Amino acid sequence: METKSRNFTQAPQLATVESPEKASSSPFKEFYSLLNQGKLEEAILLLEKAAPCWEKANLLGCYHAEIMNFSKAEKEFLEALCHDPDNIDTLCNLAKLYNDFFQPYEAKKYMEMYLQKEPNDPIGLFYYAVVLLDLDLEDDAYEILKRVLVINPTDVYVITNLALIILNKNKRPKVALRLLKKAASINPADSEVLFRLAGVAWELGEELTFFNAREMLQLIDPGLCAELDERTGRAI
């Protein structure tokens, strides 16, 4: 399913332009050209001289976020919103910035503004659930993750996190086990899923599932497998 998903998994970033047509259509053609050449300092100096506008402020916000300068990044992103209050890229950037700098309430505010514009974006919804978990709002996060699974029923990360919430909140390991089995069937090479699956299977006494998951984990990530053995108290 095609969506307009933003990238919530990384900090706001400056991106090089892959398409010459995109660069030529931008009022910041020279800036993108310098960026593509790896001349970051020259590109930023040029950008700072440009007239105030949304693109300038958003790009400078991304730059300052990359170098971990929170106050300047926040200032630029907020200025970008003054130029274009409904811009989903900037709403996304602000949400990620606040979450990265441990301000989950602000992150929640801008995620909700973003989701008003893109209510069915599965990546945005997933990131919103992560913010809710940071605020210890597990029930709300659980409902959001269920919505994501309706939109994208094969998202391994959503399935895994839903299983973990069920374990932590509802204490229903058999339901969590079914979800983790589903996640492992979608991506059998995901070491984190195998680790969680083996752990829950061990607690429930499902030895076949445990041994199968552990065997795969041993091949993919021996270090994590050793941690599993330590936690279960059983080295094989």
Side-chain angles (χ1 to χ4, degrees):
M1 183 170 86
E2 186 175 345
T3 69
K4 300 178 182 178
S5 303
R6 308 296 104 185
N7 186 353
F8 291 99
T9 60
Q10 299 177 359
Q13 294 180 330
L14 288 171
T16 55
V17 176
E18 299 177 359
S19 165
E21 293 78 13
K22 181 178 179 181
S24 63
S25 67
S26 169
F28 295 90
K29 178 181 177 182
E30 189 176 353
F31 164 80
Y32 285 117
S33 176
L34 289 169
L35 198 61
N36 279 329
Q37 296 172 52
K39 299 177 180 179
L40 178 60
E41 290 185 7
E42 292 180 45
I44 295 301
L45 287 173
L46 181 69
L47 188 61
E48 288 174 341
K49 295 176 183 178
C53 65
W54 169 82
E55 189 168 8
K56 173 186 176 179
N58 195 62
L59 288 170
L60 283 173
C62 289
Y63 167 69
H64 289 300
E66 278 191 26
I67 63 174
M68 305 297 288
N69 190 329
F70 169 78
S71 60
K72 287 188 176 181
E74 180 188 39
K75 176 179 176 293
E76 295 294 346
F77 286 142
L78 291 174
E79 181 178 335
L81 282 186
C82 289
H83 291 286
D84 187 354
D86 296 326
N87 189 279
I88 58 176
D89 289 303
T90 304
L91 292 172
C92 157
N93 287 338
L94 268 169
K96 189 70 178 78
L97 180 75
Y98 283 124
N99 201 57
D100 286 347
F101 284 87
F102 309 106
Q103 296 191 31
Y105 287 102
E106 288 297 307
K108 179 176 179 289
K109 169 185 170 182
Y110 285 99
M111 275 308 309
E112 288 171 349
M113 292 170 66
Y114 171 82
L115 289 170
Q116 286 178 2
K117 313 295 179 188
E118 298 288 338
N120 295 316
D121 173 10
I123 297 176
L125 287 166
F126 177 76
Y127 189 76
Y128 183 47
V130 171
V131 172
L132 293 173
L133 286 173
D134 287 341
L135 292 168
D136 294 324
L137 299 173
E138 284 195 345
D139 289 341
D140 293 339
Y142 178 76
E143 293 303 320
I144 293 297
L145 289 174
K146 287 200 299 184
R147 282 179 58 192
V148 179
L149 279 185
V150 172
I151 300 168
N152 187 357
T154 60
D155 190 312
V156 169
Y157 295 105
V158 174
I159 296 169
T160 304
N161 277 274
L162 197 57
L164 295 178
I165 292 175
I166 289 171
L167 282 173
N168 293 334
K169 189 72 175 177
N170 299 333
K171 309 296 184 186
R172 297 170 64 189
K174 290 185 178 180
V175 175
L177 184 69
R178 287 201 301 270
L179 287 169
L180 291 168
K181 283 181 177 180
K182 178 179 179 180
S185 69
I186 295 168
N187 186 1
D190 191 312
S191 59
E192 180 67 22
V193 171
L194 292 170
F195 178 80
R196 300 289 185 184
L197 174 59
V200 176
W202 177 258
E203 290 179 7
L204 290 173
E206 295 207 9
E207 290 196 1
L208 181 60
T209 300
F210 169 77
F211 283 117
N212 288 340
R214 186 197 174 280
E215 184 178 0
M216 287 295 298
L217 186 61
Q218 176 65 38
L219 294 172
I220 297 167
D221 192 334
L224 196 55
C225 188
E227 183 180 338
L228 173 69
D229 289 342
E230 184 178 346
R231 289 194 180 191
T232 59
R234 178 169 183 171
I236 300 175

